[in-house]
Amino acid sequence: MSRFFVDAWDPAYGASFEASAGGPAAPSSAQVEAEHELPVVDWRAIGPRPGVRAPDVVLLVDGVRRIDASVWTAEEDGGSYPGLAASYAAGVVRCDLERGAAQLAGAKVGRGLFTASPSATDVVAGNVRYPVHRVSGSGELAKLPAAVQGPLTALEVEVSAAARTDGDLLVVDGPLRNRRQLPRTVGYIKTQHSQYLDARLTSVVTGLAPGHRSPVFRLGTAWGGWSWYLRLPVAPGAPWAGIVRMECSADLEIVDAVRLADLSLVTLPRFASTPYKDPRAPQNLVPIAGLERLLRSRLGDARLLHRVLTAAARTAAGTER
């Protein structure tokens, strides 16, 4: 039997590395420029550089979302459109590394009715309002969950902007997307869906020791930017165990991207989670895990919201008769 490894993550959360049907070596179609920090022939693991220290303040921002109910509209012409009543929340944790203290620096909850229906109006369910977010196109039900990401991202930007101070580092849980304009900001991608590098460069990544990173490279995707891999503290195991991908704005010069990469290497390992506390250890950072639990509690009771939405729909149907 060939060697095999057990992923440290609880299977209920998927896997830390999700290979395509072609296997872990299946290449991404994204254009990659790997020679910016180091020539390709010199690619190697990079450890903490002398003199680089973590910032005094680190802000970690994350968001959660939940579908409260699927809905269907009844149009005057006899047609119908699907919709989703969704709740979402964003928050930011302020970690003061000098004092060794972390606290919630801000959190907000939003809700919405996401549909392509031209006749849809805000839904009021008890004391809760779901403003209409009209989506473009035909609004297929399967594509509606993705429409929640835009308002959620805007909420993340809002709460993190209110908490920023000079010299801090903002860590966004997930890709940066349209937050690339934010200063001193890095995206933190804990699940690896794609393999961007060729086999030889990938071997550098999977060979990283804990607390080391890959050289910075550039991705030429639609949301492209500077990127690098680092391995968090983790017990020896699967090739991709404890590896996360980081990214920063493509608008930065390479020297600034390298500076952020070095900063991430001396900052993020201290937040790594442990397996006995978190089923997605070590990638699910401790402050992020606590923030997710708090934000989900602020979304409200899912069963109660489903009931009041159902009651609101019945009331609306009775009004039309």
Side-chain angles (χ1 to χ4, degrees):
M1 179 179 179
S2 61
R3 290 195 307 159
F4 72 99
F5 301 91
V6 175
D7 197 308
W9 283 23
D10 185 323
Y13 291 91
S16 57
F17 178 78
E18 298 186 359
S20 65
S28 166
S29 60
Q31 181 181 358
V32 177
E33 301 171 5
E35 70 285 352
H36 288 277
E37 182 177 5
L38 288 177
V40 171
V41 296
D42 294 331
W43 254 55
R44 62 182 183 275
I46 299 173
R49 299 187 194 274
V52 178
R53 60 181 293 271
D56 294 336
V57 174
V58 180
L59 302 174
L60 296 103
V61 64
D62 194 16
V64 299
R65 58 185 179 179
R66 186 187 66 205
I67 305 305
D68 294 333
S70 297
V71 303
W72 292 88
T73 68
E75 306 297 321
E76 290 185 359
D77 61 3
S80 184
Y81 288 86
L84 293 178
S87 296
Y88 50 93
V92 58
V93 177
R94 185 182 190 275
C95 299
D96 188 325
L97 301 188
E98 280 195 322
R99 295 192 299 113
Q103 64 184 37
L104 180 68
K108 286 194 173 184
V109 176
R111 306 187 198 274
L113 173 64
F114 296 83
T115 181
S117 168
S119 66
T121 58
D122 295 359
V123 172
V124 178
N127 296 323
V128 179
R129 177 180 294 272
Y130 291 81
V132 171
H133 291 262
R134 218 170 306 279
V135 303
S136 58
S138 56
E140 300 97 316
L141 183 60
K143 296 182 178 180
L144 291 178
V148 185
Q149 186 60 49
L152 175 55
T153 298
L155 207 59
E156 290 177 359
V157 171
E158 182 181 347
V159 297
S160 58
R164 302 215 67 175
T165 58
D166 291 340
D168 63 9
L169 176 68
L170 177 63
V171 180
V172 173
D173 190 47
L176 285 179
R177 295 191 177 93
N178 58 349
R179 292 166 288 197
R180 296 181 181 275
Q181 78 283 1
L182 301 177
R184 304 181 309 283
T185 301
V186 294
Y188 177 85
I189 298 93
K190 55 179 173 277
T191 303
Q192 308 310 313
H193 296 282
S194 301
Q195 189 166 313
Y196 297 105
L197 305 174
D198 64 30
R200 192 180 71 80
L201 300 186
T202 295
S203 69
V204 174
V205 175
T206 56
L208 291 172
H212 287 67
R213 68 170 177 87
S214 75
V216 174
F217 57 96
R218 191 178 183 116
L219 288 177
T221 61
W223 293 104
W226 300 110
S227 193
W228 62 96
Y229 292 97
L230 65 84
R231 193 188 293 271
L232 299 169
V234 67
W240 288 87
I243 288 179
V244 297
R245 185 173 67 83
M246 308 295 299
E247 61 181 31
C248 64
S249 173
D251 295 335
L252 296 176
E253 299 293 334
I254 179 61
V255 293
D256 297 317
V258 169
R259 188 175 295 114
L260 282 174
D262 287 338
L263 202 58
S264 71
L265 193 58
V266 298
T267 303
L268 295 180
R270 71 183 62 204
F271 298 126
S273 53
T274 53
Y276 74 92
K277 287 185 176 181
D278 195 306
R280 290 177 287 172
Q283 288 98 319
N284 201 38
L285 303 179
V286 172
I288 291 293
L291 179 60
E292 286 177 343
R293 289 192 296 270
L294 184 146
L295 293 177
R296 289 194 180 99
S297 71
R298 295 195 175 189
L299 293 182
D301 186 281
R303 291 172 296 180
L304 177 60
L305 286 169
H306 191 276
R307 285 200 296 269
V308 294
L309 282 164
T310 301
R314 288 172 179 164
T315 300
T319 302
E320 292 181 357
R321 291 194 184 98

